[in-house]
Amino acid sequence: MTKLAIIGGTGLTQLSGLTIIKRDKLTTPYGSPSAEFVTGEFNQKEVIFLARHGNPHTIAPHKINYRANIWSLKHLGVEQIIAVAAVGGITEEMTPAHIAIPDQIIDYSHDRKHTFFEDENYPVTHIDFTYPYSQKLRSALITAAANANISISPIGTYGCTQGPRLETAAEIKRMEKDGCNVVGMTGMPEAALAKELGMDYAAVSVIANWAAGKTTGEITMAEIEQHLHAGMANIEQLLKSFISLA
Ligand code: HPA
């Protein structure tokens, strides 16, 4: 059976419904990963769970050791990664608490350790990143959503910003012109690193708020948490439905 990992973002520090079998604390040539790797049974299938921001949630998006996280998952034999992350909604359909399975990325982040291919351990390699996410995994997630009666957006472009601050209204206007539908801070380099190590990777974006300038009023952490809470109930159903397809 294909070995599956779920990376949980803000609002998903623990996977409820996971019966824990073991916890692995790993060290890597790239330093420490975000948290222990929790192996458990979820809907009767073995899954490895990682809290991207640590448990408790203390690691800011630009401080996450993406290379250590992805290297560790490869080391544990993971072949498929479902990456759950909170995002801001830019375009009309991306309303708070809605879910999107993006198919494209624009990377606006900077100064992150974004590749494995830079030292003597790996020869210089230019991966094909035309389609950044695994089409096979995305299709399975879209089918799983339909089976569970969860309304999702089956495509969308994810714009990755540096954070930890939220964006300005002008930045979001520019991102919309560029073709972004949602904005988050953790989608890159995570997706590229998984592809560098040959793992199937797909993102599940949970819309936590309207992006800057898309509503009047301030974007508050309380609002983000409230929408994430609503969206996460659907995420759990979606993941269960995905696993029952396997
Ligand atoms: N911008 C960037 N990242 C986010 C947002 C946002 O508005 N909401 C949740 N993660």
Side-chain angles (χ1 to χ4, degrees), residues 151-175:
S151 152
I152 57 145
S153 294
I155 53 169
T157 296
Y158 176 109
C160 185
T161 55
Q162 175 71 356
R165 67 165 176 85
L166 295 169
E167 299 70 35
T168 66
E171 284 168 337
I172 292 296
K173 213 184 249 180
R174 181 182 77 155
M175 290 177 76

Side-chain angles (χ1 to χ4, degrees), residues 86-88 161 166-167 183-185 208-211 224:
V87 296
T161 55
L166 295 169
E167 299 70 35
V183 53
M185 299 174 190
N209 55 281
W210 283 114
I224 289 182

Side-chain angles (χ1 to χ4, degrees), residues 73-86:
L73 291 175
K74 183 75 180 179
H75 182 76
L76 291 169
V78 167
E79 297 157 272
Q80 283 187 330
I81 300 172
I82 297 176
V84 180

Side-chain angles (χ1 to χ4, degrees), residues 114-162:
H114 63 284
T115 181
F116 291 108
F117 299 137
E118 63 174 13
D119 59 32
E120 59 284 357
N121 293 327
Y122 295 95
V124 172
T125 305
H126 305 286
I127 53 158
D128 181 328
F129 208 45
T130 311
Y131 301 104
Y133 300 114
S134 158
Q135 302 287 21
K136 193 174 92 193
L137 198 45
R138 288 186 58 260
S139 294
L141 284 164
I142 292 163
T143 303
N147 290 351
N149 261 324
I150 299 167
S151 152
I152 57 145
S153 294
I155 53 169
T157 296
Y158 176 109
C160 185
T161 55
Q162 175 71 356

Side-chain angles (χ1 to χ4, degrees), residues 45 60 71-72 77-78 105 122 131-132 135 171-172 176 180 204 206 209 213 233 236:
K45 196 186 168 207
W71 186 94
S72 299
V78 167
I105 298 174
Y122 295 95
Y131 301 104
Q135 302 287 21
E171 284 168 337
I172 292 296
E176 187 168 12
C180 294
V204 177
V206 191
N209 55 281
E236 204 182 308

